Amino acid sequence: DAKTTQPNSMESNEEEPVHLPCNHSTISGTDYIHWYRQLPSQGPEYVIHGLTSNVNNRMASLAIAEDRKSSTLILHRATLRDAAVYYCILRDVDTGGFKTIFGAGTRLFVKA
Amino acid sequence: EAQVTQNPRYLITVTGKKLTVTCSQNMNHEYMSWYRQDPGLGLRQIYYSMNVEVTDKGDVPEGYKVSRKEKRNFPLILESPSPNQTSLYFCASSPEIAKNIQYFGAGTRLSVL
């Protein structure tokens, strides 16, 4: 399974944009890039996913590099409720994506 | 309300006493999975199931068993729990394997003394 690398922690000010990077240099052509986040004392929740093109939804945007070896999760205006651990994972469409490998994730701190 | 339900939420037990953590989903998902979460190690997959009667090992299956007799239920069984299985456990389900948008339960915190 392809691996992802993320910074251990990042800090942001409230109301400012946040760019959370993820490196996945061994990504295969059929791997989807997924982001989940885990709020304190909760289970992980889905944020966004994409394959090649940039994606937007109500929670965030996902910017995927042209060579697909890195991606960035963008929170357009951070709020205190966005303080969480953010996980970037890869899922292989060909194999059905049965196995899931989460890295240690990035802990986002948001300052008021 | 669509949800993944785990029970119990908290459990303290002793070494060697068999236990089962239940997981149920009401979304008719084919794919279900169990993870454990430990400080500094993130989430690690224990077992997963692609459908009824179809299960396979994840990255850390030792000491665990699962069964999938019904689509909605995926219990995690610890036949002889040991202290190194003290952890936070999450169950998840997914409607489409390829897109893998997983929905997670609230977690079960297990302590084995």
Side-chain angles (χ1 to χ4, degrees), chain A residues 2-90:
Chain A
K3 299 287 191 288
T4 63
T5 304
Q6 301 174 252
N8 289 335
S9 65
M10 292 185 66
E11 197 173 87
S12 172
N13 293 315
E14 200 175 11
E15 303 289 322
E16 291 184 357
V18 182
H19 291 231
L20 298 166
C22 181
N23 287 316
H24 28 79
S25 58
T26 59
I27 191 171
S28 72
T30 53
D31 278 337
Y32 273 83
I33 302 160
H34 288 255
W35 284 82
Y36 286 77
R37 74 178 185 181
Q38 187 173 18
L39 300 170
S41 303
Q42 294 188 25
E45 63 174 350
Y46 167 79
V47 177
I48 200 167
H49 77 286
L51 185 61
T52 56
S53 304
N54 295 343
V55 183
N56 299 296
N57 66 21
R58 62 175 181 81
M59 289 182 71
S61 295
L62 176 61
I64 301 173
E66 198 168 328
D67 63 5
R68 298 201 341 116
K69 293 186 177 181
S70 65
S71 60
T72 302
L73 178 70
I74 303 165
L75 307 178
H76 295 286
R77 290 179 63 200
T79 69
L80 296 179
R81 290 181 299 175
D82 290 323
V85 178
Y86 287 80
Y87 297 98
C88 166
I89 65 171
L90 301 180

Side-chain angles (χ1 to χ4, degrees), chain A residues 1 32 34 36 38 41-46 49 87 89 91-93 95-104, chain B residues 9 31 35 37 40-45 48 50 57-59 88 90 97-106:
Chain A
D1 293 306
Y32 273 83
H34 288 255
Y36 286 77
Q38 187 173 18
S41 303
Q42 294 188 25
E45 63 174 350
Y46 167 79
H49 77 286
Y87 297 98
I89 65 171
R91 300 305 289 141
D92 189 335
V93 174
T95 63
F98 302 142
K99 278 195 175 183
T100 302
I101 298 178
F102 282 76
Chain B
R9 293 291 313 281
Y31 181 74
Y35 299 85
Q37 185 172 37
L41 297 176
L43 285 121
R44 294 180 291 169
Q45 194 173 40
Y48 57 89
M50 289 79 78
K57 297 176 181 178
D59 287 320
L88 179 58
F90 289 101
I97 294 170
K99 292 185 179 180
N100 194 51
I101 301 174
Q102 294 190 72
Y103 297 84
F104 285 80

Side-chain angles (χ1 to χ4, degrees), chain B residues 54-74:
Chain B
V54 182
T55 63
D56 208 346
K57 297 176 181 178
D59 287 320
V60 288
E62 295 78 21
Y64 305 94
K65 286 176 57 177
V66 293
S67 69
R68 189 89 181 274
K69 299 189 187 311
E70 306 167 282
K71 198 172 187 180
R72 63 181 292 126
N73 296 322
F74 190 45

